[in-house]
Amino acid sequence: MKFRDGMWMVAEGKRPEYAEEVYSIAEHPAGNSLSLLCPTKRILQRSDSLNLPTLTIDIRAPFDGVISVETTHWLGALNPGPHYDLYPAGKPEKCNPGISKTDTSTTLRSGSISATVKTGNHDFDIRFHATDGSKELTSLLNRSVGFAYSPAPSNQLVTGDMSKFQHYIFTQTTLSVGESVHGLGERFGAFNKVGQAVTLWNADGGTSSDQAYKNIPFWISSRGYGIFIDTPDKVELEVGSERCCRVQTSVEAQRLKWYIIYGPTPKEVLQKYSILTGKPGKVPSWSFGLWLSTSFTTNYDEKTVNSFLEGMKARDIPVEVFHFDCFWLRAFHWCDFVFDSEMFPDPKAQIARLKASGLVKKVCVWINPYLGQASPVFKFAASKGYLLKRKNGDIFQWDLWQTGMGIIDFTNPEACEWYVSCLEGLFDKGVDAIKTDFGERIPSIDVEWFDSSLDPRKMHNYYAFLYNKVVYEAIQDRFGENEAVLFARTATAGTQRFPLQWGGDCESTPEAMAESVRGGLSLGLGGFAFWSVDIGGFEGYPPPWIYKRWVAFGLLCSHSRLHGSNSFRVPWTVDDDDTSEQGCSKTLAKWTSLKARLMPYIFAQAQIAVEQGIPLSLRAMCLEFPEDPTSWFLDRQFMFGDSLLVAPIFEESGDVEFYLPKGRWTSFFTNKTRVGPGWFKEHHQFDTLPLYVRENTILVLGKWHEMRTVYDYAQGVEVCLYQTKPGAKTTVVDSEGEEVGVLEIGEEGHLIDQDFLTGAWHVTRNGRSTIKSKATEN
């Protein structure tokens, strides 16, 4: 939303008003907040205080390293919900607030961050900076805070009828020279958002548009701070795109609140952000294995499912989770939780046979929060008030996706209870995990929720939180707190608490694979630890080379799923069952096996990611190397945990160019080392890619023959030392995520504290064993 036409003119049909000075400051007695009265013109004489608007800016110190800023035009305006569920684990007690003054300024301190307000010469100048004076972060300067009408009113009298006007609040934080901005959800465009106009409004737009399934009102700056916009409402940002030197945030409302979070490192920013909106939930070790789907519109039954899994077993490709996509339900009946009796006459027995065969451990099914009117369940749900209504009392319906589709109203506690009972029916049949698809197409016009106090526009994005929360907690109640797994498509702030998320509908092209990488990187910077993608691409028929390159990328995401639209993703259907070493089947088998071997590292890193509120994979390079300016612009590679660098390949030829930050890096596949910083070019076949291990890493690998993801991560392992120095450490956890020991390099350069390792484990130096050999017991 632009309010100006260039620097000098107002945008057509808009009338912005700006806070022109800080007229007065009220201090809270506790010393933890300031309230600024800011008129929209400078007050040079007493009569200037009449017939003009003011803005109130409340600056507060909620906890150490964080300051909130709330701008309000009319204080009497209601502020209906929903509101984000902040501090889900409790508000931290640690805070060191205080107020200090000089002749020309007032400063509010909140631990490591401070806000200084100039108070002389009719200024409007608010600076956010490190309390110790080491760094200025950003600021609110002249004409940077205000409100706007659209259309422009002819005089103040006509605003007596606000139904004829839209009213916006906006702020413009300064962008420094060279500063970059990242995050704002799962965005598939350029990684650095400077120069972009971004609308935070959940939409089913695929991965090739500026729309996003997961809009997160949080962004992180290369200057060591982040900003969380505290509203699920539709937010529009001009990131250096209205004024090149500012980030403008606007919302159609009477108030706008955001938090500025000081790191100074980006990891610390995310850790503090997770205090506000919640840490990611833990996921079980089995979920890191390969998931295989039936695909979307394909025709399948029990015979089809068994043939897939038997084919995978015959090709040494273990499947941990089998996923039944949409057509486990009857056509026109989505989503009434009733299996298609013609294709699946006894689903409970079928699932039991599937698990008893040993072909798969867990089963997942697809659901969405909608209900087609063809199902008898529709009438039942409508009669009980479980579906969203129009203002006149009609059920809200449209023929979008499902004919006469209704929408489950999760603001109705009884609707939630009923929905959970439907999920329990699936669990009784043997279902272990749920793919929570959709949740983006939530209307905001002519609707009234069961909780009529809620703002329909705010509910559009917030619905994703309620929907996934209900399903996630139902799985927790059945299987245990750390055993719940979703495959969710839509999200908003806080939804990281209900893992995991996947990247939505992508095409089967190298460009779409690159879009997906950018989406995963951006979402990770919103505190989402776990993320996946449709391996091979969702739309279309991937050529074998795309499929194989995507397999390598997909098995190095935190979670890995084969899924398509109208074609299967089992490897032999992609390349006519090429049995060569570089065929689809052998390629998938190698990468699946590699992920299984990496599980001691992956699962230990997963616990750290949850605790710190940071992504496991895809982890943006800037999180690990914030002092390297190049790391803030790398959107074709990522870190998997803190020690593995991954550069997917987007060329059929196998040519790839990637960047290594400062230090010595060792190729996982060859043990050859490279020294960064610098750009490097390599050529790879389909069973390798640039996978580099950071120096001073102790990398614990499972046995050569490990194929599944759940095993004893301390037994028979290979402990690989990569240019380690005294003090280097790594934690080993069990398959439940509990710590079993810490490996450390002692002063003599040898491994100490290793008594907890069992079986025929061994140590390799300067890399790993690249030839299978019998391990020797220590």
Side-chain angles (χ1 to χ4, degrees):
M1 174 69 68
K2 290 184 169 68
F3 300 107
R4 300 196 69 85
D5 184 357
M7 286 186 66
W8 316 123
M9 295 190 293
V10 173
E12 180 70 25
K14 303 293 193 302
R15 179 179 166 179
E17 301 272 4
Y18 301 95
E20 295 286 2
E21 71 165 278
V22 177
Y23 179 76
S24 64
I25 301 178
E27 301 175 18
H28 193 280
N32 60 2
S33 68
L34 302 173
S35 185
L36 316 183
L37 179 62
C38 304
T40 55
K41 74 175 183 180
R42 293 184 176 184
I43 308 302
L44 304 178
Q45 55 190 7
R46 296 181 72 177
S47 61
D48 289 340
S49 65
L50 302 174
N51 294 312
L52 85 160
T54 61
L55 289 148
T56 301
I57 303 176
D58 292 306
I59 305 176
R60 302 182 180 93
F63 64 94
D64 192 350
V66 180
I67 284 178
S68 69
V69 178
E70 184 171 22
T71 302
T72 310
H73 178 200
W74 288 337
L75 293 169
L78 297 176
N79 186 20
H83 304 292
Y84 283 126
D85 181 20
L86 300 185
Y87 305 109
K91 190 173 182 179
E93 295 182 3
K94 183 181 178 183
C95 189
N96 183 24
I99 297 172
S100 58
K101 294 181 180 182
T102 70
D103 291 341
T104 58
S105 66
T106 300
T107 297
L108 173 69
R109 181 184 71 249
S110 181
S112 60
I113 188 175
S114 292
T116 295
V117 183
K118 285 193 177 181
T119 55
N121 299 321
H122 304 280
D123 290 322
F124 185 88
D125 187 312
I126 306 172
R127 310 272 173 152
F128 301 94
H129 56 90
T131 297
D132 62 10
S134 61
K135 192 172 190 179
E136 183 167 311
L137 305 176
T138 188
S139 54
L140 295 169
L141 301 179
N142 177 51
R143 293 198 161 190
S144 63
V145 176
F147 67 91
Y149 292 109
S150 179
S154 56
N155 58 56
Q156 286 296 332
L157 280 174
V158 298
T159 62
D161 182 3
M162 284 300 294
S163 65
K164 297 178 180 179
F165 299 95
Q166 292 172 295
H167 182 283
Y168 300 90
I169 289 280
F170 61 85
T171 60
Q172 294 181 346
T173 51
T174 53
L175 281 171
S176 300
V177 176
E179 183 174 358
S180 56
V181 169
H182 308 268
L184 294 172
E186 185 188 54
R187 316 213 77 84
F188 304 105
F191 182 49
N192 176 15
K193 301 301 181 286
V194 173
Q196 297 182 38
V198 178
T199 300
L200 303 182
W201 189 251
N202 287 356
D204 177 10
T207 69
S208 289
S209 76
D210 62 352
Q211 296 179 5
Y213 301 101
K214 308 170 188 68
N215 288 272
I216 312 301
F218 173 76
W219 53 270
I220 195 165
S221 163
S222 59
R223 288 184 66 82
Y225 69 92
I227 288 186
F228 166 57
I229 307 158
D230 185 15
T231 178
D233 207 341
K234 184 177 186 178
V235 178
E236 299 193 71
L237 295 107
E238 300 289 342
V239 188
S241 50
E242 175 162 340
R243 291 201 64 180
C244 297
C245 57
R246 295 181 178 181
V247 177
Q248 177 174 280
T249 303
S250 64
V251 63
E252 186 181 347
Q254 289 287 341
R255 56 177 55 83
L256 171 61
K257 183 177 183 179
W258 44 259
Y259 294 77
I260 181 167
I261 305 169
Y262 180 44
T265 69
K267 279 187 179 179
E268 290 171 298
V269 172
L270 284 181
Q271 194 161 12
K272 292 170 185 174
Y273 171 73
S274 73
I275 292 172
L276 275 171
T277 63
K279 295 183 184 298
K282 290 187 176 183
V283 291
S285 50
W286 56 260
S287 71
F288 290 87
L290 185 63
W291 296 48
L292 175 62
S293 166
T294 58
S295 294
F296 171 31
T297 61
T298 54
N299 190 33
Y300 67 92
D301 55 13
E302 182 173 4
K303 182 179 179 182
T304 311
V305 171
N306 289 342
S307 70
F308 284 169
L309 292 171
E310 289 165 359
M312 296 288 269
K313 181 179 180 181
R315 293 164 176 81
D316 295 320
I317 308 169
V319 175
E320 299 280 352
V321 185
F322 192 83
H323 170 70
F324 292 80
D325 215 55
C326 308
F327 281 96
W328 67 271
L329 297 152
R330 296 165 290 174
F332 295 108
H333 286 228
W334 303 347
C335 175
D336 64 3
F337 298 94
V338 179
F339 274 84
D340 183 337
S341 59
E342 183 177 342
M343 305 299 284
F344 309 102
D346 190 349
K348 183 175 183 179
Q350 177 185 344
I351 292 172
R353 289 190 294 270
L354 197 60
K355 293 180 178 180
S357 70
L359 294 172
V360 68
K361 282 185 178 179
K362 305 290 183 179
V363 166
C364 173
V365 297
W366 173 97
I367 66 169
N368 68 27
Y370 311 140
L371 187 54
Q373 70 178 14
S375 171
V377 178
F378 180 93
K379 291 183 179 179
F380 169 79
S383 69
K384 294 291 186 178
Y386 297 162
L387 302 179
L388 177 61
K389 293 182 179 179
R390 296 186 183 274
K391 290 181 177 179
N392 67 359
D394 290 348
I395 301 298
F396 183 95
Q397 291 180 268
W398 50 20
D399 295 327
L400 183 67
W401 183 240
Q402 288 287 287
T403 302
M405 184 190 83
I407 299 170
I408 307 299
D409 187 344
F410 290 112
T411 74
N412 182 345
E414 292 185 5
C416 294
E417 291 179 13
W418 168 72
Y419 203 78
V420 168
S421 72
C422 295
L423 295 170
E424 289 172 343
L426 295 178
F427 304 151
D428 291 342
K429 293 179 174 64
V431 172
D432 307 279
I434 301 290
K435 173 180 172 180
T436 48
D437 205 353
F438 285 86
E440 308 92 353
R441 294 172 177 172
I442 305 303
S444 58
I445 299 173
D446 189 28
V447 296
E448 184 168 297
W449 294 88
F450 176 83
D451 183 349
S452 60
S453 69
L454 300 177
D455 182 341
R457 199 174 61 222
K458 290 182 180 179
M459 275 297 298
H460 174 87
N461 284 349
Y462 196 74
Y463 188 87
F465 182 89
L466 296 178
Y467 167 37
N468 286 290
K469 182 177 189 286
V470 165
V471 180
Y472 185 76
E473 291 181 350
I475 302 174
Q476 284 184 314
D477 288 344
R478 171 57 70 97
F479 299 110
E481 181 179 359
N482 297 328
E483 287 292 311
V485 184
L486 304 181
F487 236 83
R489 191 172 76 171
T490 190
T492 187
T495 319
Q496 68 270 13
R497 292 160 50 187
F498 320 124
L500 58 102
Q501 287 71 31
W502 104 96
D505 297 347
C506 47
E507 297 174 317
S508 299
T509 65
E511 293 80 10
M513 188 164 75
E515 292 162 5
S516 296
V517 172
R518 296 193 295 268
L521 292 172
S522 291
L523 187 67
L525 291 177
F528 287 74
F530 308 111
W531 183 85
S532 186
V533 66
D534 290 342
I535 295 176
F538 177 72
E539 299 286 356
Y541 299 82
W545 78 267
I546 284 287
Y547 181 90
K548 290 181 284 188
R549 295 295 181 206
W550 211 312
V551 159
F553 160 47
L555 267 297
L556 292 172
C557 297
S558 77
H559 289 76
S560 308
R561 182 183 69 156
L562 294 163
H563 181 66
S565 178
N566 53 2
S567 59
F568 297 125
R569 290 293 178 265
V570 286
W572 57 89
T573 65
V574 177
D575 64 358
D576 295 325
D577 203 12
D578 180 352
T579 59
S580 70
E581 288 299 312
Q582 294 296 312
C584 288
S585 294
K586 289 288 180 65
T587 297
L588 180 58
K590 291 173 185 176
W591 287 104
T592 305
S593 176
L594 172 61
K595 190 169 190 182
R597 283 206 74 200
L598 285 170
M599 275 303 293
Y601 168 78
I602 292 172
F603 206 48
Q605 288 285 313
Q607 312 314 309
I608 297 171
V610 166
E611 178 58 31
Q612 296 185 1
I614 60 176
L616 171 61
S617 180
L618 284 48
R619 182 179 298 179
M621 298 294 295
C622 56
L623 284 177
E624 292 296 332
F625 306 95
E627 300 303 319
D628 185 337
T630 302
S631 73
W632 291 90
F633 297 90
L634 298 172
D635 62 3
R636 297 192 304 276
Q637 61 186 72
F638 55 90
M639 297 294 291
F640 195 158
D642 57 27
S643 296
L644 295 182
L645 183 150
V646 182
I649 300 172
F650 304 97
E651 300 289 340
E652 184 175 6
S653 65
D655 295 328
V656 59
E657 186 174 17
F658 57 97
Y659 178 82
L660 296 177
K662 183 180 179 180
R664 179 172 292 182
W665 296 83
T666 304
S667 168
F668 180 86
F669 293 106
T670 68
N671 285 335
K672 293 181 179 179
T673 61
R674 293 186 182 274
V675 178
W679 287 90
F680 301 91
K681 293 182 179 179
E682 290 182 356
H683 177 84
H684 289 261
Q685 295 191 57
F686 294 108
D687 52 359
T688 61
L689 53 59
L691 178 61
Y692 277 81
V693 187
R694 194 175 183 174
E695 67 181 357
N696 208 32
T697 292
I698 304 172
L699 183 66
V700 181
L701 299 175
K703 301 173 186 176
W704 276 101
H705 63 270
E706 290 290 1
M707 298 293 286
R708 298 282 186 175
T709 58
V710 184
Y711 53 90
D712 186 342
Y713 303 141
Q715 183 180 45
V717 295
E718 179 181 356
V719 181
C720 312
L721 308 182
Y722 288 87
Q723 296 87 42
T724 50
K725 302 172 185 177
K729 293 181 181 180
T730 194
T731 299
V732 178
V733 300
D734 61 20
S735 60
E736 299 298 317
E738 298 297 325
E739 181 180 316
V740 296
V742 177
L743 296 174
E744 183 175 359
I745 301 297
E747 291 299 324
E748 302 299 321
H750 300 297
L751 199 65
I752 59 175
D753 301 331
Q754 56 201 27
D755 293 344
F756 61 89
L757 296 180
T758 61
W761 65 274
H762 67 288
V763 176
T764 54
R765 295 183 178 273
N766 301 318
R768 68 177 182 95
S769 300
T770 55
I771 300 174
K772 292 182 182 180
S773 59
K774 184 176 180 180
T776 56
E777 185 173 0
N778 284 9

